[in-house]
Amino acid sequence: MTKVQNNKAWWLVLPVFLLVAFSAIIPMMTVVNYSVQDIFDQSSRYFVGADWFRQVLQDPRLHDSLLRQFIYSACVLLIEIPLGIGIALTMPTKGRWSSLCLIVMTIPLLIPFNVVGTIWQIFGRGDIGLLGWILNDVLGISYNYAANASDAWVTVLVIDVWHWTSLVALLCYSGLRAIPDVYYQAARIDRASNWAVFRHIQLPKMKSVLLIAVMLRFMDSFMIYTEPFVLTGGGPGNSTTFLSQTLTTMALGQFDLGPAAAFSLVYFLIILLVSWVFYTAMTHSEKN
Amino acid sequence: MEWMSWTLPTAIFFASIAAILVAMTAWELRSASIERRGFLPIATTRGDRLFIGLLGSAYLHLLVIGATSWNIWVASGLSLVWLLVVMRWG
């Protein structure tokens, strides 16, 4: 019997498509329109062609924050993905402890971004914060996120690791639980080492959840705004001013809507390219 | 529609994107695309190649605008060539 493909089911996607059209596609078209004009108000707007794009592409401030952003996202992925996999592998698999672990792991995920920023802002302070006090007065390490750029950097990174590693861990945990026991039995018969079990059974089976984890963490860390803004306002200097904060300053602080629109399109294209590369690399590697 | 601040070039741009999508759908219904391997390192369908072509064109425009002082039509011309090459041999 040949299987008949019925593509009529695609019509069921129509409501979602309409919703996305209103929430994303139409605003996006508006941004494109803004990016080629100098707009003062509805009646006085002037077509400027690619001038705004040229301006933002040659702006050294944006180059700096783009570079900072890439380093930050790379650090986030390099720390959170291996750490999340490691936690998922060591979590208890059944019984009361597994439930407790799951609940504890979920708690950071439930805390809103600005609250996380505030928690760490107080936690890290040298005078009243526990972490700052321990580092400065007990361990004798000079730590001040408000004055030292590398301290601020590490703090923003640690905040993200604290906030989101459990997402990676929970995704990996669910992937691990979906592996049937027979795979492990076969591995035991072959006397496979722990590393071989991880490399040839667990990692391939976690691939699809890892894909989701990598994409989510990349996109979220690439759009990070609240945590550095609450912690230091992007400082000291510009050391933790990432792309979204530069963009917000441009669009809302200086009201340069044209350059900000051009810049958000460049930003969008970067996210689109990197996400597509991740997706293609992870889905096509098994076919070849 | 006034709030969207349409201009003629952007309207033409989005209309052509929409026309391409409609045309691709019609083409797909007439003869379904078969995944194949061209000069790109991955096997692609027709839609994949369109996406790669359009994304490449966007970056080509950014490159020409940001790094050179050429006219933007140079970028558009190169993009058209790139799009056709990817669609045919990608």
Side-chain angles (χ1 to χ4, degrees), chain A residues 49-263:
Chain A
D51 286 1
W52 296 138
F53 285 94
R54 185 164 291 120
Q55 184 185 321
V56 298
L57 286 171
Q58 293 171 350
D59 186 350
R61 193 175 53 142
L62 293 181
H63 294 172
D64 290 350
S65 67
L66 183 66
L67 182 68
R68 226 175 273 138
Q69 185 68 68
F70 268 115
I71 298 173
Y72 179 75
S73 288
C75 289
V76 163
L77 288 181
L78 286 176
I79 296 173
E80 288 181 17
I81 300 295
L83 191 62
I85 295 175
I87 292 174
L89 287 172
T90 47
M91 268 166 74
T93 53
K94 45 175 100 68
R96 195 179 298 159
W97 283 108
S98 80
S99 315
L100 187 71
C101 273
L102 287 174
I103 292 168
V104 171
M105 302 279 291
T106 318
I107 290 172
L109 300 176
L110 299 176
I111 303 178
F113 296 91
N114 50 351
V115 179
V116 171
T118 313
I119 289 174
W120 280 83
Q121 196 208 22
I122 297 171
F123 189 48
R125 274 178 64 157
D127 49 355
I128 57 168
L130 184 62
L131 177 72
W133 176 73
I134 289 180
L135 285 175
N136 281 310
D137 295 352
V138 179
L139 298 174
I141 304 165
S142 163
Y143 167 82
N144 184 351
Y145 64 74
N148 186 320
S150 56
D151 289 353
W153 243 87
V154 171
T155 313
V156 176
L157 201 56
V158 170
I159 292 176
D160 203 83
V161 170
W162 178 83
H163 198 179
W164 290 112
T165 304
S166 28
L167 176 76
V168 181
L170 290 176
L171 282 170
C172 292
Y173 184 77
S174 70
L176 285 174
R177 291 289 75 73
I179 303 174
D181 212 30
V182 287
Y183 283 85
Y184 294 112
Q185 288 165 3
R188 267 200 299 279
I189 291 169
D190 288 344
R191 289 213 198 156
S193 64
N194 283 341
W195 170 251
V197 169
F198 174 71
R199 176 68 191 80
H200 297 290
I201 297 175
Q202 290 169 325
L203 201 56
K205 288 280 171 188
M206 278 196 289
K207 199 177 209 169
S208 52
V209 288
L210 270 181
L211 173 67
I212 297 171
V214 169
M215 302 265 275
L216 279 178
R217 285 322 304 142
F218 170 74
M219 286 187 282
D220 273 356
S221 65
F222 210 76
M223 298 189 290
I224 186 167
Y225 176 77
T226 320
E227 289 92 335
F229 186 74
V230 173
L231 191 74
T232 58
N238 274 331
S239 57
T240 54
T241 307
F242 296 112
L243 276 184
S244 58
Q245 201 185 329
T246 315
L247 179 60
T248 314
T249 313
M250 206 190 258
L252 302 177
Q254 304 161 348
F255 218 67
D256 285 334
L257 291 181
F263 179 44

Side-chain angles (χ1 to χ4, degrees), chain B residues 13-33:
Chain B
F13 170 74
F14 281 114
S16 24
I17 296 282
I20 290 174
L21 290 180
V22 170
M24 290 292 284
T25 311
W27 188 8
E28 188 73 26
L29 288 176
R30 272 183 69 94
S31 65
S33 161

Side-chain angles (χ1 to χ4, degrees), chain A residues 33 37 45 58 269-270 276 284, chain B residues 4-5 7 10 43 59 66:
Chain A
N33 293 338
Q37 297 178 84
R45 49 195 176 90
Q58 293 171 350
L269 283 173
I270 295 171
W276 179 78
H284 279 255
Chain B
M4 286 179 78
S5 310
T7 64
T10 51
Y59 274 91

